[in-house]
Amino acid sequence: MIVGDRLILRMKGDSSRELFTKPLRHGKVVQCRWGSIPHDSLIGKSVRDIVASSTGKEFQLHVPTLEEYVTLTPRLVTPVYPADANLIVSLLDLHIAPYQSASEERPLEILEAGTGHGSLTLHLARAVNGANPAPSVQSSEDFEILREKELDNDSSSGIESMPNEAAAKVLVTSGAEGSPELATEEWRASRRAVIHTVDISATYSQHAEGVIRGFRQGIYAVNVDFHVANVSEWIDEQFEIRNADSMKVIRKPFLSHTILDLPGSHDHIAQVASALHTDGILIVFNPSLTQILDCVKSIIAEEIPLWLEKVVELGAGMTGGREWDVRTVKPRALLKAEKRREEAELASGSATVALGNRSNDIEKSTILIEEQLQATSRSGTGWEMICRPKVGERVVGGGFLGVWRKMADRGPINRSKG
């Protein structure tokens, strides 16, 4: 174990009693009701070694898994729990090729709007890690000094974040031997996969950054860029930055996939879709189905080129989620009315119409008007929403995922600057 590691100490003989440490530092102490354990007695130890507290209680050292880490870290907001985060990542269907050399191919860029606790961000960063080159190796002595300075900025919550002036240099330990490495700006420009995570709250963003840097010496933090902004405004800003040398802002898509985990997601879909590559996936994660329906309605009303692939309910006991049938349909009454209208138009265009048929046409027209009024009174366009579980009875879950895929672009939109 080295400076900066976080451990789980499980009591020998009763593994249900456990302690989750802050990052290890020289001179610090773990305090608990079973006594105290100096950090210096943990630094240099190996996994599953035994250490004793000041009262003689023995504890075994464990390195937390990603699931344990996300669950145990102090939080400001409810995290996306590991089972749900893993499902979301699998829905993106990522296939990462190991990094070989700098390439002219476009990088994989994933936008997460709503950083929150940083749980989903961490899972995404792990998924794309193999696409990026290893940062440059630094000496162990230099790394430990810099890591100590970074941890000097720790907060009362036990989560550490790097000072703003040091954000350009992300320190990690990586590889089988845990060799210390440094990610410079030049290295960051060579990345083949980037997670852009945007949150409107600077407090939440900083907290999440600390969470991600705190997991195994920040091994995946170098894959993430943190932004504090409104997601629609951030996309506008990105279009301008990526066209800095042009007289016009060309709204050329640059995002491979996007995840929206924020209130009012439907207000940002049009903007997000404009930055999404063709065949890119948009996932909306909301606590209620009505919020997913708001997104469906916005996509139809604004004619956004997105195709709804599935809606999945998340919750306890739902391995892989429960898929819902969510689609727009026209009521049978309206379809029958349209058919009768067509029949009436054909009949009225005939050169000769029997007198008895005319009375039938009047009756049909009366029915047509009544059914149209009945159907359109529920919806301005005549479309109704179908939404129900595809199998079995409804079970209350922990949230809903709407999964869309970007259809063919209509071409980049040019806007003059100024």
Side-chain angles (χ1 to χ4, degrees):
M1 302 301 166
I2 63 174
V3 170
D5 281 341
R6 304 194 72 167
L7 308 176
I8 294 178
L9 307 179
R10 294 194 171 98
M11 186 177 291
K12 191 176 178 180
D14 187 358
S15 59
S16 64
R17 297 176 182 268
E18 60 183 25
L19 303 170
F20 182 54
T21 73
K22 289 185 178 182
L24 300 182
R25 300 181 61 186
H26 294 294
K28 297 294 183 177
V29 177
V30 177
Q31 296 284 1
C32 64
R33 57 178 174 170
W34 302 294
S36 61
I37 304 173
H39 283 200
D40 287 310
S41 68
L42 302 174
I43 296 172
K45 294 288 187 181
S46 300
V47 177
R48 307 193 77 84
D49 279 354
I50 303 296
V51 296
S53 69
S54 58
T55 61
K57 292 290 184 181
E58 292 186 323
F59 292 85
Q60 191 173 53
L61 278 62
H62 296 268
V63 176
T65 63
L66 179 56
E67 179 179 1
E68 290 170 334
Y69 179 81
V70 167
T71 305
L72 294 172
T73 45
R75 63 190 66 169
L76 300 180
V77 293
T78 302
V80 178
Y81 289 104
D84 297 338
N86 284 323
L87 175 59
I88 293 171
V89 172
S90 70
L91 288 172
L92 293 180
D93 194 32
L94 301 174
H95 300 279
I96 304 299
Y99 179 88
Q100 294 181 344
S101 61
S103 171
E104 294 299 324
E105 294 182 7
R106 71 189 187 201
L108 175 71
E109 296 188 64
I110 300 176
L111 169 64
E112 177 199 24
T115 309
H117 181 67
S119 168
L120 179 57
T121 319
L122 192 49
H123 281 79
L124 289 168
R126 181 179 66 168
V128 305
N129 189 61
N132 292 327
S136 57
V137 177
Q138 303 296 299
S139 72
S140 298
E141 292 181 1
D142 288 344
F143 173 80
E144 185 160 314
I145 292 171
L146 290 168
R147 187 67 171 135
E148 285 277 9
K149 288 182 178 179
E150 179 185 340
L151 296 178
D152 282 336
N153 195 43
D154 63 350
S155 63
S156 58
S157 65
I159 296 296
E160 294 65 41
S161 59
M162 186 175 289
N164 293 333
E165 61 271 17
K169 295 184 177 180
V170 182
L171 296 167
V172 297
T173 53
S174 180
E177 301 300 324
S179 56
E181 299 174 343
L182 179 65
T184 63
E185 282 301 312
E186 182 180 358
W187 176 88
R188 293 167 73 85
S190 70
R191 291 177 297 178
R192 307 308 306 153
V194 183
I195 308 299
H196 301 288
T197 184
V198 181
D199 202 290
I200 197 68
S201 168
T203 301
Y204 293 163
S205 181
Q206 184 180 18
H207 180 86
E209 186 172 359
V211 170
I212 293 166
R213 293 187 191 283
F215 181 69
R216 302 202 178 188
Q217 302 285 349
I219 186 174
Y220 303 125
V222 291
N223 304 320
V224 184
D225 288 348
F226 296 87
H227 309 275
V228 178
N230 172 286
V231 63
S232 292
E233 294 174 357
W234 179 82
I235 290 174
D236 272 335
E237 180 184 344
Q238 287 298 306
F239 281 134
E240 292 188 7
I241 292 173
R242 292 162 191 256
N243 289 273
D245 298 329
S246 174
M247 294 300 294
K248 292 183 178 180
V249 176
I250 302 175
R251 300 177 70 85
K252 186 178 180 180
F254 61 93
L255 293 174
S256 306
H257 305 295
T258 301
I259 300 168
L260 299 181
D261 178 13
L262 69 171
S265 294
H266 62 282
D267 293 330
H268 303 283
I269 286 183
Q271 181 77 317
V272 166
S274 70
L276 193 60
H277 286 299
T278 299
D279 209 40
I281 294 174
L282 165 66
I283 295 179
V284 177
F285 183 22
N286 285 142
S288 72
L289 186 59
T290 55
Q291 292 170 297
I292 301 295
L293 299 185
D294 287 340
C295 295
V296 173
K297 293 174 184 176
S298 292
I299 290 169
I300 293 173
E302 300 179 45
E303 297 183 345
I304 302 171
L306 291 170
W307 177 261
L308 180 61
E309 289 198 332
K310 64 177 69 176
V311 174
V312 177
E313 179 185 5
L314 305 177
M318 296 184 186
T319 303
R322 174 198 294 266
E323 190 171 350
W324 281 59
D325 182 11
V326 175
R327 52 197 164 91
T328 53
V329 299
K330 281 191 176 182
R332 291 180 181 176
L334 186 56
L335 293 174
K336 290 179 181 178
E338 289 178 347
K339 183 177 180 181
R340 287 170 178 164
R341 181 180 61 193
E342 292 174 359
E343 292 173 351
E345 289 175 351
L346 289 172
S348 63
S350 176
T352 57
V353 180
L355 183 62
N357 289 340
R358 288 179 182 174
S359 61
N360 289 338
D361 287 342
I362 294 172
E363 181 180 353
K364 288 178 180 178
S365 298
T366 304
I367 296 172
L368 169 67
I369 293 171
E370 289 177 351
E371 290 180 339
Q372 280 182 324
L373 289 173
Q374 181 180 3
T376 57
S377 65
R378 297 189 295 270
S379 172
T381 61
W383 290 95
E384 298 280 349
M385 295 299 306
I386 292 293
C387 109
R388 61 197 175 198
K390 281 201 167 180
V391 180
E393 299 179 358
R394 183 182 178 188
V395 177
V396 177
F400 292 85
L401 298 174
V403 183
W404 286 265
R405 193 175 288 273
K406 175 76 175 289
M407 294 188 285
D409 286 312
R410 299 170 182 171
I413 300 172
N414 298 341
R415 294 185 180 178
S416 298
K417 291 186 179 181

